[in-house]
Amino acid sequence: MSKVEDFLTKAEEEEVVEAIRLAEKNTSGELRVHIEKETSIAPIDRAVEVFNLLEMENTKDRNGVIIYVAVKSRQFAIYGDKGINEKVSDDFWNCTKDIMLNHFKNGNNKQALVDGINNAGEQLKKFFPFQDDDTDELSNEISKG
């Protein structure tokens, strides 16, 4: 699979967006998914670039998270903003990455993203619980490059 449009069906995309919406009901953290064909740099470095291009640092608590996927390159990365990184250990995203990697290896792209989003939401809830005055600061739609 080397095309972004073949990575998820329309119905699967809707399930991923719904997973983001549900995860954000438990945390003030903001989650985004970005899918593009390939990257020529380290996926984490590209995730940071996309994070900045999408202006994800514009959250009140600097607690945005991007799940970045390069389809043809068969690589992905998870990047959290500085508000998160100031509170968590260096291996904070490892369990989420492990869950996702297992699904990706089996060709279950949608489940990789849904389970990654669910796990990230649960992890974020510990440090950034949902607040009564919380607003959805970033789009839940999947961005594509």
Side-chain angles (χ1 to χ4, degrees):
M1 176 183 326
S2 60
K3 292 183 178 175
V4 171
E5 44 284 346
D6 295 338
F7 189 71
L8 296 171
T9 67
K10 185 70 180 147
E12 289 173 332
E13 278 193 33
E14 290 171 9
E15 287 183 60
V16 170
V17 171
E18 180 65 4
I20 292 170
R21 191 184 71 73
L22 292 173
E24 289 180 354
K25 283 185 171 277
N26 295 315
T27 177
S28 63
E30 293 287 329
L31 297 154
R32 296 274 325 247
V33 172
H34 181 83
I35 302 169
E36 61 187 18
K37 184 174 179 180
E38 59 191 329
T39 181
S40 58
I41 61 175
I44 190 65
D45 293 337
R46 182 61 183 146
V48 172
E49 284 182 0
V50 173
F51 185 95
N52 291 322
L53 286 170
L54 295 174
E55 299 180 347
M56 290 183 62
E57 72 281 358
N58 293 334
T59 58
K60 182 178 67 161
D61 295 324
R62 296 292 303 264
N63 58 355
V65 175
I66 190 164
I67 297 175
Y68 167 82
V69 181
V71 176
K72 186 176 179 184
S73 306
R74 298 179 57 87
Q75 296 178 306
F76 75 100
I78 304 170
Y79 174 74
D81 203 355
K82 78 178 210 177
I84 297 168
N85 294 330
E86 288 171 352
K87 294 186 175 193
V88 302
S89 61
D90 290 340
D91 62 350
F92 181 71
W93 295 115
N94 287 354
C95 65
T96 304
K97 284 193 277 189
D98 291 344
I99 290 167
M100 292 178 67
L101 185 59
N102 203 29
H103 284 303
F104 279 139
K105 283 182 179 177
N106 294 318
N108 300 324
N109 300 330
K110 182 223 30 156
Q111 204 58 51
L113 292 172
V114 168
D115 286 0
I117 290 162
N118 290 339
N119 190 274
E122 284 299 312
Q123 297 297 320
L124 287 172
K125 181 169 71 170
K126 297 172 189 171
F127 297 93
F128 298 96
F130 184 82
Q131 306 294 320
D132 289 336
D133 63 346
D134 190 43
T135 57
D136 196 358
E137 298 176 272
L138 300 174
S139 170
N140 295 340
E141 296 301 311
I142 296 171
S143 59
K144 297 177 183 172

